[in-house]
Each structure stands twice: as structure tokens, then as C-alpha cells.
């Protein structure tokens, strides 16, 4: 029987485990998406680099594995996360080789259009972490060129203190000189958000006149959330001025970004499962890639986020409504549309009271339903999965994202529902992603709701989405 939870238009390998996006690069027009994968099963085992390519950011071709651990080599226990750069016409990967307790930067190049990769015979390119620091972790890489010199950030943490990113420089990507920690966090500080005791998957980018450092918070073997810091960067000094959690839904982690040939900054992240390992084993797969997201710098120095417009190519049959007034008790407003593979765009009139939104994956009797709820008083948005499934084992936490609408501004929700994935974009400035696992096959209904004052729905468009696989 067809797997009811397996997404149809989000990228994932044919089976087994996947996690972080890696090595994002556009090469001769083609987008390359590498990713962490375990080809031997649906759990985080021996990690390889998977590889997929696309001409349009929508349809992907899954290609042969790009990197596999070399027996006896510095990556014998795993090829962990890293990035891709164009080294004067040579596609080059910088990744973490894992061997026993050691995590070390390694380099590989391709001479056949990014399909097969030759590891540098003298890997690792940094033989050991800086001796004067007591580090927790030394992995994941952001590499860029600055004034003709390669710079690199490596994710780390200083024991007892907090996360850290270590700054290096190199002329040739092969021999690296350590400079200093670019930034060190505080594992005990929780305001405005907690940053963990080790920072995974750093990404560092210039955007709209600012610099953005994206980090994923890790603590004692567990992954938490991804956050960004916006600030200024000059003379190897980064001064953060503000920041936020990237996607507070609790399932978006270890993202990476790239600049494409249209000079757009695009981000993908790993959408983690929200069901027990046993169920992942039974399904034979675990992990999905987010949709590609377009980043921008907003005037208030926060990150703007929107789905890339190319995704419109997936829109199939169209349904529309609007001009509705939702009041408490309104229901049955979308009885003519059903589905688990949809895009919905809803525009609500400005209001400052109550909670309202949409319901997706509803069973006819309402036993199962997932809410996309906007809390107007507090200006925050959540996916509420508390009644998403009769399966008691899947996660049901509600996590809120600040949207912060201006006075008089309506709410525009763009919802991508793809079976177990719900990605909700709000007004170009927030995205909340959740994973849901309805147990009932008839949980395909939709509805609108309001709790509190009446709210106007100016327009609603719903598209049935095409899948991206044959
Ligand atoms: N995943 C990779 C690491 C990274 C972590 C291992 C983040 O390189 O720190 O699969 O999810």
C-alpha cells in the first residue's frame, strides 16, 4: 500500500535516511543539492553525501552518492556536513571527515561536472583543532573568498562556555591558518533564545548591506533549533545586532544557503521527523528537504523568507473562494476541496483580536485535524498538531513564531501541505514548519475557523499540487 506520509513534492532520496543539505551550488546553470544520507537504513548511521540536481529548483534528479567514507581514511566513520565552492573553475567540496572521536576538515574536487569526487590525498587539510581551546565538536564548514583569500568558519563549542565558530584563512583551500573564534555564545543565556553549547552547520553571508550568521544549536548529543544573527562584519570582526530563530516550528534544522546565478540567496533545511524511530524504520525512510526558500534582508534588519516562485510550476487544479466573514462556530466552509498535497494562499483582513486560521488534514468527524492558527492579539503564528493524529506516539507540540504585522496590515498565509509536511509562510517574514502523521486515511478535509471576534477572509486560493517524481 502507498505510504500515506511520504511527501510527493519535497525532495528526499528514494529510501533510507537523510539529514542536512550540503554543498549547495549552481554550476553551469544546474542547481546541485548534496545532502547527508545513510544509504544503509533509515537512521543516522554511516553518513555519506547524497547528490541531486535540478534545472528549475522544482524537479530533481537523484544522482549517485558523491562522497562515501574511505576505509582507513580520515572520513572512515562518516562524511559529515560541508559546503561547495568554485575554486577558479574547479568544483571543490569542504566537508568533515569523521574517524573515531576525530572530526577534521577534508577536501574533494570533481573533474566530471560534479558527479564523481576525488578526495585530496593529504586529507585532512587541518590536522587538529587549535590547541589552546577546549572544544566540543569541530565540524561543518562555511567557506567564502574575501579580498582574494579563502576564509572558513568551522562549527564548534568551547567546553563550559557555549557554541563557537572558528575562523581560518587559506590561499589554496589546502593549507589553513587559524585566526580566532569569530564568535562565542553563552550556553546559560536564554534570551532572546537559547543558543546551545555547540554550534553546528554555520553559514555566513552578506545580504542587503548586513552580514548574517546562521547557526544550529546543539547540546549534549541533541539538536535543537537554528537561529540567525544579523550584524556587521569588517576586518575579521562580526558584531551581532539582533537575531531570531529561523523557523520555530521545531522541525527545520541545519540549513544551508547559496547564491544562484540570479543573485538570489536560497536556503534549504532538513525537516526532521516527529515520530518514533520504530515507525521510521517501518517506513524505510526518514527526513525530508524543505522547499527552497528565498531570503531577504528587511528594513528592520530581520530576515525575510518566501518560497521560491518556481514552485508555482507544481500548481494543478485550482479552487478559489473569498469574501467570507468567519465567526466562532463557522465551519464546513471548504467542503468542496480535499487533499493532502496542496498549496493554499489565504489573505485575511487586518484584525487585532482573536485566533483564526485554517484546518487541514481533517477527518469528516473532526477527530483528526491540524490547525494553522494566527493569534492576532500576540501577533504570532503556529501549526497546532495537538489533534493531528490518533497515533499517540507522534509529536503534538505547538510552537509559535512571531509575525509582527504592522498596524492595518492583513495576514497572508501561504501553506504547503505535502502529506506529513506542513510549511507555512506568513507575509514574507516568518515560516513555521511542522510534521504531522494523521492515522486515518479519510483525514483529507479542509476548513476555516475563528475563535474570538469575526475576521474577514478576502481571498483563498487552493491548488492541488503535482508530485515531482514519475
Ligand atoms: N549533521 C551532520 C553534522 C552536523 C549535523 C552529521 C547537524 O556534520 O553537525 O550528519 O545536523
Amino acid at each position: 500500500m502507498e505510504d500515506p506520509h511520504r511527501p510527493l513534492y519535497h525532495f528526499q532520496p528514494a529510501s533510507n535516511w537523510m539529514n542536512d543539505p550540503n554543498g549547495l551550488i549552481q554550476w553551469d546553470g544546474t542547481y546541485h543539492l548534496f545532502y547527508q544520507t545513510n544509504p544503509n537504513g533509515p537512521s543516522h548511521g554511516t553518513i555519506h553525501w547524497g547528490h541531486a540536481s535540478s534545472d528549475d529548483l522544482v524537479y530533481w534528479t537523484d544522482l549517485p552518492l558523491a562522497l562515501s567514507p574511505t576505509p582507513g581514511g580520515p572520513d572512515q566513520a562518516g562524511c559529515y556536513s560541508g559546503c561547495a565552492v568554485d575554486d577558479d573553475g574547479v568544483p571543490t567540496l569542504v566537508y568533515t571527515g569523521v574517524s573515531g572521536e576525530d572530526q577534521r576538515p577534508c577536501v574533494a574536487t570533481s573533474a566530471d561536472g560534479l558527479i564523481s569526487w576525488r578526495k585530496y590525498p593529504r586529507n585532512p587539510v587541518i590536522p587538529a583543532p587549535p590547541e589552546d581551546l577546549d572544544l566540543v565538536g569541530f565540524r561543518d564548514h562555511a567557506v567564502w573568498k574575501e579580498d582574494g583569500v579563502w576564509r572558513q568558519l568551522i562549527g564548534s563549542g568551547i567546553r563550559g562556555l557555549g557554541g563557537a565558530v572558528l575562523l581560518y584563512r587559506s590561499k589554496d583551500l589546502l593549507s589553513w591558518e587559524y585566526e580566532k573564534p569569530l564568535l562565542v555564545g553563552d550556553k546559560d543565556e536564554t534570551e532572546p533564545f537559547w543558543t546551545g553549547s555547540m554550534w553546528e552547520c554555520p553559514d555566513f553571508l552578506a545580504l542587503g548591506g548586513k552580514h548574517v550568521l546562521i547557526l544550529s544549536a546543539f547540546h549534549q548529543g541533541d539538536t535543537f533549533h537554528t537561529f540567525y544573527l544579523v550584524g556587521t562584519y569588517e576586518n575579521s570582526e562580526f558584531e551581532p545586532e539582533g537575531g531570531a530563530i529561523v523557523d520555530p516550528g521545531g522541525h527545520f534544522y541545519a540549513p544551508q544557503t547559496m547564491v544562484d546565478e540570479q543573485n538570489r540567496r536560497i536556503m534549504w533545511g532538513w525537516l526532521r521527523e516527529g515520530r518514533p524511530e520504530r515507525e521510521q524504520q517501518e517506513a524505510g525512510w526518514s527526513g525530508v528537504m524543505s522547499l527552497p526558500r528565498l531570503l531577504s534582508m528587511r528594513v528592520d534588519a530581520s530576515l525575510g523568507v518566501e518560497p521560491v516562485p518556481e514552485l508555482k510550476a507544481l500548481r494543478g487544479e485550482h479552487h478559489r473562494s473569498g469574501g467570507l466573514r468567519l465567526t466562532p462556530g463557522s465551519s464546513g466552509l471548504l467542503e468542496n476541496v480535499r487533499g493532502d498535497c496542496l498549496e493554499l494562499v489565504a489573505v485575511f483582513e487586518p484584525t487585532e483580536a482573536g485566533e483564526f486560521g485554517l484546518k487541514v488534514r481533517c477527518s469528516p468527524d473532526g477527530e483528526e485535524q491540524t490547525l494553522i492558527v494566527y493569534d492576532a492579539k500576540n501577533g504570532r503564528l503556529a501549526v497546532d498538531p495537538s489533534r493531528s493524529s490518533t497515533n499517540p506516539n507522534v509529536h503534538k507540540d505547538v510552537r509559535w513564531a512571531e509575525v509582527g504585522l504592522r498596524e492595518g496590515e492583513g495576514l497572508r498565509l501561504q501553506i504547503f501541505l505535502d502529506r506529513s509536511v506542513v510549511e507555512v509562510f506568513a507575509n514574507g517574514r516568518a515560516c513555521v514548519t511542522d510534521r504531522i502523521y494523521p492515522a486515518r486515511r479519510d483525514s483529507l478535509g479542509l476548513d476555516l475557523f475563528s475563535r474570538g471576534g469575526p475576521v474577514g477572509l478576502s481571498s483563498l486560493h487552493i491548488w492541488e499540487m503535482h508530485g515531482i517524481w514519475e
Side-chain angles (χ1 to χ4, degrees):
M1 204 192 313
E2 205 187 353
D3 182 338
H5 301 307
R6 196 167 162 83
L8 295 179
Y9 63 89
H10 282 73
F11 174 78
Q12 58 184 172
S15 60
N16 298 319
W17 170 271
M18 66 142 268
N19 57 300
D20 319 347
N22 291 153
L24 304 174
I25 197 162
Q26 192 176 16
W27 198 274
D28 288 337
T30 300
Y31 292 94
H32 291 265
L33 168 65
F34 299 88
Y35 56 92
Q36 296 276 281
T37 185
N38 171 13
N40 303 313
S43 58
H44 190 271
T46 310
I47 293 294
H48 296 53
W49 276 40
H51 182 195
S53 71
S54 172
D55 294 330
D56 57 10
L57 294 173
V58 178
Y59 296 96
W60 294 90
T61 305
D62 206 10
L63 295 164
L65 289 169
L67 293 176
S68 303
T70 299
D75 60 7
Q76 59 181 329
C79 301
Y80 277 19
S81 285
C83 58
V85 291
D86 177 351
D87 182 17
D88 217 2
V90 180
T92 304
L93 306 180
V94 181
Y95 69 100
T96 302
V98 178
S99 172
E101 294 293 297
D102 290 349
Q103 302 177 341
R104 299 286 184 267
C106 294
V107 162
T109 53
S110 175
D112 63 357
L114 290 78
I115 299 299
S116 66
W117 294 85
R118 180 177 174 272
K119 296 176 186 174
Y120 178 53
R122 298 202 348 237
N123 276 337
V125 292
I126 299 178
E131 272 173 14
D132 57 332
L133 297 173
D134 185 11
L135 299 178
V136 197
F138 186 59
R139 62 177 180 272
D140 312 338
H141 313 267
V143 178
W144 70 98
K145 207 169 216 177
E146 194 180 315
D147 301 328
V149 178
W150 291 107
R151 311 299 291 272
Q152 166 168 211
L153 285 179
I154 301 181
S156 190
I158 299 183
R159 203 175 306 280
L161 222 58
V165 271
L166 308 179
L167 181 63
Y168 284 77
R169 59 164 59 226
S170 168
K171 289 201 183 74
D172 56 7
L173 296 169
L174 299 176
S175 116
W176 292 89
E177 187 188 329
Y178 172 61
E179 282 183 56
K180 58 175 187 174
L182 182 71
L183 196 71
V184 179
D186 177 350
K187 70 171 180 37
D188 299 321
E189 179 64 61
T190 53
E191 293 300 325
F193 45 83
W194 185 60
T195 62
S197 57
M198 192 250 148
W199 290 343
E200 298 188 305
C201 299
D203 199 350
F204 194 45
L205 46 124
L207 191 65
K210 296 277 181 192
H211 266 78
V212 186
L213 182 58
I214 301 178
L215 300 164
S216 291
F218 177 93
H219 185 66
Q220 292 180 345
D222 272 328
T223 52
F224 289 84
H225 46 231
T226 294
F227 60 96
Y228 70 87
L229 301 169
V230 174
T232 53
Y233 172 70
E234 223 176 346
N235 303 324
S236 305
E237 297 286 340
F238 177 62
E239 283 294 333
E241 292 158 1
I245 293 178
V246 171
D247 176 330
H251 292 267
F252 180 89
Y253 193 73
Q256 191 176 99
T257 72
M258 60 164 281
V259 180
D260 76 352
E261 289 169 1
Q262 298 172 52
N263 211 23
R264 301 181 299 176
R265 181 61 72 168
I266 305 173
M267 173 173 73
W268 282 261
W270 163 37
L271 305 185
R272 301 189 294 201
E273 297 301 319
R275 54 177 171 169
E277 261 171 51
R278 182 178 37 80
E279 292 185 23
Q280 299 173 38
Q281 288 290 341
E282 280 162 16
W285 60 274
S286 176
V288 187
M289 204 57 81
S290 74
L291 294 174
R293 302 177 179 185
L294 208 52
L295 297 184
S296 58
M297 183 56 59
R298 298 177 53 81
V299 282
D300 64 357
S302 66
L303 268 190
V305 59
E306 281 173 285
V308 296
E310 282 90 333
L311 295 166
K312 290 181 184 152
L314 292 170
R315 290 174 175 175
E317 196 166 330
H318 181 213
H319 310 261
R320 73 191 298 171
S321 83
L324 290 174
R325 200 136 195 87
L326 310 182
T327 50
S330 317
S331 72
L333 295 168
L334 298 174
E335 276 174 343
N336 56 334
V337 201
R338 286 156 62 80
D340 58 3
C341 197
L342 304 169
E343 179 191 344
L344 303 95
V345 178
V347 179
F348 294 93
E349 287 167 9
T351 172
E352 273 154 33
E355 290 186 346
F356 58 87
L358 294 98
K359 296 181 185 179
V360 298
R361 303 298 312 264
C362 305
S363 59
D365 59 1
E367 183 185 31
E368 289 190 332
Q369 50 180 281
T370 297
L371 272 57
I372 290 129
V373 50
Y374 183 68
D375 165 2
K377 181 161 160 260
N378 297 300
R380 51 184 203 158
L381 170 76
V383 177
D384 176 353
S386 47
R387 292 169 66 189
S388 59
S389 177
T390 53
N391 178 349
N393 304 319
V394 303
H395 98 98
K396 308 259 170 73
D397 320 327
V398 184
R399 300 186 186 207
W400 295 94
E402 303 301 321
V403 181
L405 298 182
R406 286 187 309 273
E407 216 182 308
E409 185 181 3
L411 175 73
R412 180 181 188 273
L413 296 180
Q414 187 166 10
I415 302 162
F416 292 91
L417 173 66
D418 191 5
R419 293 187 162 173
S420 60
V421 175
V422 191
E423 277 183 275
V424 185
F425 294 82
N427 290 54
R429 71 185 70 156
C431 185
V432 190
T433 303
D434 210 343
R435 301 295 307 278
I436 54 166
Y437 306 90
R440 288 177 52 165
R441 293 265 169 179
D442 60 354
S443 291
L444 296 170
L446 302 170
D447 208 347
L448 294 154
F449 72 95
S450 163
R451 304 193 275 233
V455 57
L457 174 79
S458 328
S459 64
L460 173 66
H461 294 268
I462 304 174
W463 289 271
E464 296 176 26
M465 296 290 261
H466 298 297
I468 60 171
W469 311 109
E470 293 285 296

